[in-house]
Amino acid sequence: MPRQRKLNPFGRTLAYVYTEKGEHLQELLLANGFAKSKVFQNDMFWHCLADIETVTRRNYFGLWRHQDYKVRSIETLSREDSHRWLEVRGVVRGYERKGQLFELIIDEKLVLVVAK
């Protein structure tokens, strides 16, 4: 089994939180649609937590029933969507490095710019 990290890449503490009844808090939040999973692959629960979020999304629990949290296709995007949090579905078709920027080309229609 790989060694567990105690900090994430940003120096924040990685920890598990349990309720007084011994329930895994992250699992409860995900199962009720109150959170989006952010797990690191060295986390021993990462497959389980990702699966819980997938089921919750499919059943439109919690935040996943709201239009703003639905996964969007590239074709539905407009200029009004720029600078907003969105989850889009597409295929990375290419990339370019431009100085301190990294551009992902998604479905030949969307360029996602990421600063170094």
Tab-separated table of all heavy atoms in Angstrom, residues 82-108:
chain	number	residue	atom	x	y	z
A	82	SER	N	-18.087	32.739	-19.741
A	82	SER	CA	-16.672	32.929	-19.405
A	82	SER	C	-16.553	33.512	-18.003
A	82	SER	O	-17.423	34.249	-17.539
A	82	SER	CB	-15.977	33.832	-20.425
A	82	SER	OG	-16.529	35.119	-20.415
A	83	HIS	N	-15.508	33.141	-17.302
A	83	HIS	CA	-15.216	33.590	-15.933
A	83	HIS	C	-16.243	33.096	-14.915
A	83	HIS	O	-16.430	33.702	-13.873
A	83	HIS	CB	-15.072	35.111	-15.859
A	83	HIS	CG	-14.059	35.657	-16.808
A	83	HIS	ND1	-12.733	35.296	-16.766
A	83	HIS	CD2	-14.172	36.498	-17.847
A	83	HIS	CE1	-12.080	35.910	-17.721
A	83	HIS	NE2	-12.929	36.640	-18.399
A	84	ARG	N	-16.947	32.020	-15.226
A	84	ARG	CA	-17.880	31.385	-14.294
A	84	ARG	C	-17.389	29.981	-14.022
A	84	ARG	O	-16.730	29.378	-14.856
A	84	ARG	CB	-19.282	31.264	-14.913
A	84	ARG	CG	-19.989	32.564	-15.110
A	84	ARG	CD	-21.375	32.375	-15.714
A	84	ARG	NE	-22.156	31.445	-14.917
A	84	ARG	CZ	-23.073	30.642	-15.438
A	84	ARG	NH1	-23.335	30.637	-16.697
A	84	ARG	NH2	-23.747	29.824	-14.665
A	85	TRP	N	-17.786	29.436	-12.872
A	85	TRP	CA	-17.497	28.032	-12.587
A	85	TRP	C	-18.450	27.207	-13.419
A	85	TRP	O	-19.663	27.370	-13.367
A	85	TRP	CB	-17.705	27.733	-11.106
A	85	TRP	CG	-17.368	26.325	-10.770
A	85	TRP	CD1	-16.162	25.865	-10.332
A	85	TRP	CD2	-18.221	25.177	-10.870
A	85	TRP	NE1	-16.214	24.498	-10.152
A	85	TRP	CE2	-17.459	24.051	-10.468
A	85	TRP	CE3	-19.533	24.971	-11.256
A	85	TRP	CZ2	-17.969	22.760	-10.443
A	85	TRP	CZ3	-20.041	23.682	-11.232
A	85	TRP	CH2	-19.265	22.598	-10.825
A	86	LEU	N	-17.892	26.338	-14.243
A	86	LEU	CA	-18.693	25.424	-15.051
A	86	LEU	C	-17.977	24.092	-15.132
A	86	LEU	O	-16.750	24.028	-15.090
A	86	LEU	CB	-18.845	25.934	-16.487
A	86	LEU	CG	-19.676	27.171	-16.734
A	86	LEU	CD1	-19.514	27.619	-18.176
A	86	LEU	CD2	-21.137	26.886	-16.446
A	87	GLU	N	-18.748	23.060	-15.259
A	87	GLU	CA	-18.163	21.760	-15.547
A	87	GLU	C	-18.603	21.413	-16.957
A	87	GLU	O	-19.792	21.392	-17.260
A	87	GLU	CB	-18.661	20.722	-14.556
A	87	GLU	CG	-17.902	19.450	-14.643
A	87	GLU	CD	-18.156	18.530	-13.461
A	87	GLU	OE1	-18.629	18.997	-12.407
A	87	GLU	OE2	-17.887	17.338	-13.619
A	88	VAL	N	-17.625	21.220	-17.835
A	88	VAL	CA	-17.933	20.925	-19.234
A	88	VAL	C	-17.413	19.539	-19.593
A	88	VAL	O	-16.468	19.042	-18.983
A	88	VAL	CB	-17.339	21.978	-20.197
A	88	VAL	CG1	-17.945	23.340	-19.970
A	88	VAL	CG2	-15.838	22.032	-20.092
A	89	ARG	N	-18.044	18.953	-20.575
A	89	ARG	CA	-17.616	17.639	-21.053
A	89	ARG	C	-17.083	17.816	-22.467
A	89	ARG	O	-17.723	18.426	-23.311
A	89	ARG	CB	-18.790	16.668	-21.053
A	89	ARG	CG	-18.387	15.301	-21.595
A	89	ARG	CD	-19.408	14.237	-21.296
A	89	ARG	NE	-19.366	13.976	-19.854
A	89	ARG	CZ	-20.445	13.878	-19.085
A	89	ARG	NH1	-21.631	14.007	-19.590
A	89	ARG	NH2	-20.325	13.640	-17.800
A	90	GLY	N	-15.897	17.305	-22.684
A	90	GLY	CA	-15.290	17.370	-24.001
A	90	GLY	C	-14.012	16.555	-24.017
A	90	GLY	O	-13.637	15.941	-23.018
A	91	VAL	N	-13.351	16.556	-25.154
A	91	VAL	CA	-12.122	15.800	-25.327
A	91	VAL	C	-10.995	16.776	-25.627
A	91	VAL	O	-11.126	17.635	-26.500
A	91	VAL	CB	-12.260	14.786	-26.482
A	91	VAL	CG1	-10.946	14.055	-26.728
A	91	VAL	CG2	-13.384	13.797	-26.197
A	92	VAL	N	-9.895	16.650	-24.878
A	92	VAL	CA	-8.728	17.491	-25.137
A	92	VAL	C	-8.120	17.019	-26.449
A	92	VAL	O	-7.703	15.874	-26.583
A	92	VAL	CB	-7.701	17.407	-23.987
A	92	VAL	CG1	-6.449	18.183	-24.332
A	92	VAL	CG2	-8.324	17.919	-22.692
A	93	ARG	N	-8.097	17.923	-27.436
A	93	ARG	CA	-7.600	17.587	-28.771
A	93	ARG	C	-6.182	18.094	-29.005
A	93	ARG	O	-5.548	17.731	-29.986
A	93	ARG	CB	-8.520	18.180	-29.835
A	93	ARG	CG	-9.952	17.763	-29.716
A	93	ARG	CD	-10.139	16.361	-30.177
A	93	ARG	NE	-11.564	16.010	-30.113
A	93	ARG	CZ	-12.020	14.825	-30.368
A	93	ARG	NH1	-11.205	13.855	-30.703
A	93	ARG	NH2	-13.294	14.572	-30.266
A	94	GLY	N	-5.712	18.959	-28.129
A	94	GLY	CA	-4.364	19.487	-28.288
A	94	GLY	C	-4.028	20.426	-27.150
A	94	GLY	O	-4.863	20.711	-26.292
A	95	TYR	N	-2.797	20.899	-27.156
A	95	TYR	CA	-2.370	21.851	-26.139
A	95	TYR	C	-1.243	22.705	-26.709
A	95	TYR	O	-0.587	22.339	-27.675
A	95	TYR	CB	-1.919	21.145	-24.858
A	95	TYR	CG	-0.696	20.289	-25.040
A	95	TYR	CD1	0.584	20.811	-24.839
A	95	TYR	CD2	-0.809	18.963	-25.426
A	95	TYR	CE1	1.710	20.028	-25.018
A	95	TYR	CE2	0.306	18.174	-25.606
A	95	TYR	CZ	1.562	18.711	-25.402
A	95	TYR	OH	2.668	17.945	-25.592
A	96	GLU	N	-1.065	23.878	-26.100
A	96	GLU	CA	0.022	24.784	-26.472
A	96	GLU	C	0.554	25.439	-25.221
A	96	GLU	O	-0.193	25.761	-24.312
A	96	GLU	CB	-0.475	25.892	-27.415
A	96	GLU	CG	-0.617	25.476	-28.841
A	96	GLU	CD	-0.913	26.667	-29.725
A	96	GLU	OE1	-0.140	27.653	-29.698
A	96	GLU	OE2	-1.930	26.605	-30.430
A	97	ARG	N	1.848	25.626	-25.208
A	97	ARG	CA	2.496	26.362	-24.129
A	97	ARG	C	2.833	27.741	-24.683
A	97	ARG	O	3.473	27.846	-25.718
A	97	ARG	CB	3.765	25.640	-23.707
A	97	ARG	CG	4.247	25.989	-22.344
A	97	ARG	CD	5.415	25.113	-22.002
A	97	ARG	NE	4.962	23.778	-21.663
A	97	ARG	CZ	4.986	23.293	-20.436
A	97	ARG	NH1	5.453	24.005	-19.457
A	97	ARG	NH2	4.561	22.080	-20.187
A	98	LYS	N	2.377	28.791	-24.011
A	98	LYS	CA	2.630	30.166	-24.450
A	98	LYS	C	3.180	30.945	-23.268
A	98	LYS	O	2.422	31.473	-22.468
A	98	LYS	CB	1.352	30.812	-24.968
A	98	LYS	CG	0.843	30.167	-26.247
A	98	LYS	CD	-0.339	30.910	-26.811
A	98	LYS	CE	-0.750	30.288	-28.125
A	98	LYS	NZ	-1.906	30.982	-28.704
A	99	GLY	N	4.488	30.977	-23.158
A	99	GLY	CA	5.128	31.666	-22.041
A	99	GLY	C	4.732	31.035	-20.718
A	99	GLY	O	4.959	29.862	-20.486
A	100	GLN	N	4.099	31.814	-19.857
A	100	GLN	CA	3.671	31.342	-18.546
A	100	GLN	C	2.281	30.700	-18.591
A	100	GLN	O	1.742	30.313	-17.565
A	100	GLN	CB	3.655	32.505	-17.543
A	100	GLN	CG	5.014	33.122	-17.297
A	100	GLN	CD	5.938	32.154	-16.582
A	100	GLN	OE1	5.531	31.445	-15.672
A	100	GLN	NE2	7.188	32.113	-17.000
A	101	LEU	N	1.698	30.599	-19.781
A	101	LEU	CA	0.356	30.046	-19.919
A	101	LEU	C	0.395	28.681	-20.597
A	101	LEU	O	1.275	28.392	-21.407
A	101	LEU	CB	-0.533	30.983	-20.750
A	101	LEU	CG	-0.719	32.393	-20.203
A	101	LEU	CD1	-1.550	33.212	-21.169
A	101	LEU	CD2	-1.345	32.367	-18.824
A	102	PHE	N	-0.582	27.864	-20.273
A	102	PHE	CA	-0.752	26.552	-20.876
A	102	PHE	C	-2.179	26.506	-21.387
A	102	PHE	O	-3.121	26.786	-20.630
A	102	PHE	CB	-0.505	25.468	-19.819
A	102	PHE	CG	-0.469	24.090	-20.366
A	102	PHE	CD1	0.646	23.635	-21.044
A	102	PHE	CD2	-1.547	23.239	-20.207
A	102	PHE	CE1	0.699	22.341	-21.557
A	102	PHE	CE2	-1.513	21.948	-20.709
A	102	PHE	CZ	-0.384	21.498	-21.379
A	103	GLU	N	-2.373	26.227	-22.667
A	103	GLU	CA	-3.709	26.202	-23.253
A	103	GLU	C	-4.115	24.781	-23.618
A	103	GLU	O	-3.371	24.063	-24.296
A	103	GLU	CB	-3.752	27.065	-24.515
A	103	GLU	CG	-3.504	28.515	-24.250
A	103	GLU	CD	-3.589	29.377	-25.498
A	103	GLU	OE1	-3.702	28.827	-26.616
A	103	GLU	OE2	-3.551	30.590	-25.353
A	104	LEU	N	-5.280	24.373	-23.165
A	104	LEU	CA	-5.867	23.088	-23.546
A	104	LEU	C	-6.933	23.359	-24.590
A	104	LEU	O	-7.816	24.195	-24.379
A	104	LEU	CB	-6.511	22.397	-22.345
A	104	LEU	CG	-5.585	21.905	-21.253
A	104	LEU	CD1	-6.403	21.368	-20.088
A	104	LEU	CD2	-4.656	20.835	-21.784
A	105	ILE	N	-6.861	22.673	-25.707
A	105	ILE	CA	-7.839	22.830	-26.779
A	105	ILE	C	-8.823	21.671	-26.655
A	105	ILE	O	-8.453	20.506	-26.784
A	105	ILE	CB	-7.148	22.833	-28.152
A	105	ILE	CG1	-6.115	23.960	-28.184
A	105	ILE	CG2	-8.168	22.973	-29.275
A	105	ILE	CD1	-5.031	23.783	-29.206
A	106	ILE	N	-10.077	22.011	-26.370
A	106	ILE	CA	-11.101	21.003	-26.097
A	106	ILE	C	-12.098	20.983	-27.248
A	106	ILE	O	-12.722	22.010	-27.548
A	106	ILE	CB	-11.807	21.289	-24.753
A	106	ILE	CG1	-10.757	21.351	-23.632
A	106	ILE	CG2	-12.871	20.238	-24.473
A	106	ILE	CD1	-11.280	21.830	-22.316
A	107	ASP	N	-12.235	19.841	-27.886
A	107	ASP	CA	-13.161	19.644	-29.014
A	107	ASP	C	-13.010	20.698	-30.104
A	107	ASP	O	-13.978	21.018	-30.787
A	107	ASP	CB	-14.617	19.606	-28.531
A	107	ASP	CG	-14.952	18.319	-27.805
A	107	ASP	OD1	-14.192	17.341	-27.945
A	107	ASP	OD2	-15.972	18.294	-27.093
A	108	GLU	N	-11.815	21.247	-30.272
A	108	GLU	CA	-11.526	22.252	-31.309
A	108	GLU	C	-12.390	23.505	-31.187
A	108	GLU	O	-12.371	24.358	-32.050
A	108	GLU	CB	-11.699	21.656	-32.727
A	108	GLU	CG	-10.933	20.396	-32.995
A	108	GLU	CD	-9.417	20.562	-32.957
A	108	GLU	OE1	-8.922	21.686	-33.123
A	108	GLU	OE2	-8.744	19.544	-32.732
